[in-house]
Amino acid sequence: MSQPRNRWIVQIILALAVLTFVGISLVPIISALNDTSSSTPNPTNPSDVATSNQTSKLQDEVRGYELVLQREPENQTALKGLLEARLQLLSLKQGDIQGVIQPLEKLAKLNPQQSEYGVLLAQAKQQIGDNEGAAQAYRAILDTKPGDVKALQGMVALLVSQQRPEAAVGLLQETLTNAAQANTIQPGSVDVVAVQVLLGNVHSSQKRYPQAISAFDQAIKKAPQDFRPVLAKAMLLKEQGKVTEAKPLFDSAVALAPAQYKDEINKAATASPPPTPTPTATPK
């Protein structure tokens, strides 16, 4: 994964303060793919022995869950156990992502009200290069929950990675346009501030800084006690090298944020800004 894309993902995750899925994490999938370095196991190394024992135990768990699912294909306890075991194997460089897609597809189908499964399914499909499958998984969620922040965030990140920022902007603007009606039907179904922050981040990723600042300012005006747009604006100003302007915003974000986010915000405020890439001449 490229450094600019890493920054994009970190920015939207921190700015939206999206919590990790309970009991499920894509981190093992991402780390297993991105960390391609491998070493030859040394049977005398205690850590290698422990890893081998853990792998063997997880493989036994997988076989056990598979036997249960042969008899009861929709047994959700077995499906969740199989998913977690295969995710752990991925983190140990064992198995492949296709192994987690199958239980995720079943869990997403059996639990349409729990969008976490669908989002994780979409992200797993994106990791194997099935972008259309990922988009379909996101759309399946957004068709019934147009304000689902995790699905919106994932779909927008997918569109940006495909060099389709205008489609991402259109999706978010449509969500904002329909937010009032959606929230009248089901109060709180669309987090308008989160969507505005995400819209600002899309503009920021395309270096449309005035539009990004405008989106953040609208969100701040709408919810002055919400730390997310304040933090997003601070991060953008810092990225532009406007450290002095960003500092009071970081301070304000820390003051407004719940306790569990304060340390991460302080880290973001003090971290060195990303280096500006040096332009290279195009060969004639």
Side-chain angles (χ1 to χ4, degrees), residues 260-274:
Q260 66 265 36
Y261 300 123
K262 293 182 186 294
D263 287 340
E264 289 301 319
I265 296 171
N266 283 323
K267 288 179 185 177
T270 57
S272 300

Side-chain angles (χ1 to χ4, degrees), residues 158-182:
L158 174 62
L159 291 169
V160 170
S161 73
Q162 293 178 311
Q163 307 300 316
R164 299 176 60 198
E166 298 307 326
V169 169
L171 171 62
L172 294 170
Q173 288 178 334
E174 181 182 6
T175 304
L176 289 170
T177 298
N178 298 330
Q181 181 179 358

Side-chain angles (χ1 to χ4, degrees), residues 21-22 24 104 113-121 141 150:
F21 299 150
V22 177
I24 301 174
L104 275 172
Q113 75 284 1
Q114 296 181 27
S115 61
E116 289 85 353
Y117 292 118
V119 170
L120 189 55
L121 172 62
I141 299 169
K150 297 185 185 78

Side-chain angles (χ1 to χ4, degrees), residues 78-184:
L79 284 168
K80 292 174 185 177
L82 178 62
L83 172 62
E84 291 173 6
R86 285 179 172 171
L87 281 172
Q88 290 182 57
L89 282 170
L90 273 177
S91 71
L92 297 173
K93 309 295 184 293
Q94 300 293 324
D96 55 41
I97 294 181
Q98 195 63 46
V100 304
I101 288 179
Q102 184 180 14
L104 275 172
E105 287 178 331
K106 288 187 177 180
L107 286 166
K109 184 177 180 180
L110 291 169
N111 300 277
Q113 75 284 1
Q114 296 181 27
S115 61
E116 289 85 353
Y117 292 118
V119 170
L120 189 55
L121 172 62
Q123 291 173 330
K125 288 192 172 188
Q126 190 175 351
Q127 287 291 326
I128 64 171
D130 183 7
N131 289 337
E132 183 53 38
Q136 288 176 358
Y138 286 130
R139 290 191 199 104
I141 299 169
L142 294 172
D143 283 346
T144 56
K145 295 182 176 181
D148 189 286
V149 174
K150 297 185 185 78
L152 277 172
Q153 180 185 357
M155 188 66 179
V156 164
L158 174 62
L159 291 169
V160 170
S161 73
Q162 293 178 311
Q163 307 300 316
R164 299 176 60 198
E166 298 307 326
V169 169
L171 171 62
L172 294 170
Q173 288 178 334
E174 181 182 6
T175 304
L176 289 170
T177 298
N178 298 330
Q181 181 179 358
N183 285 334
T184 299

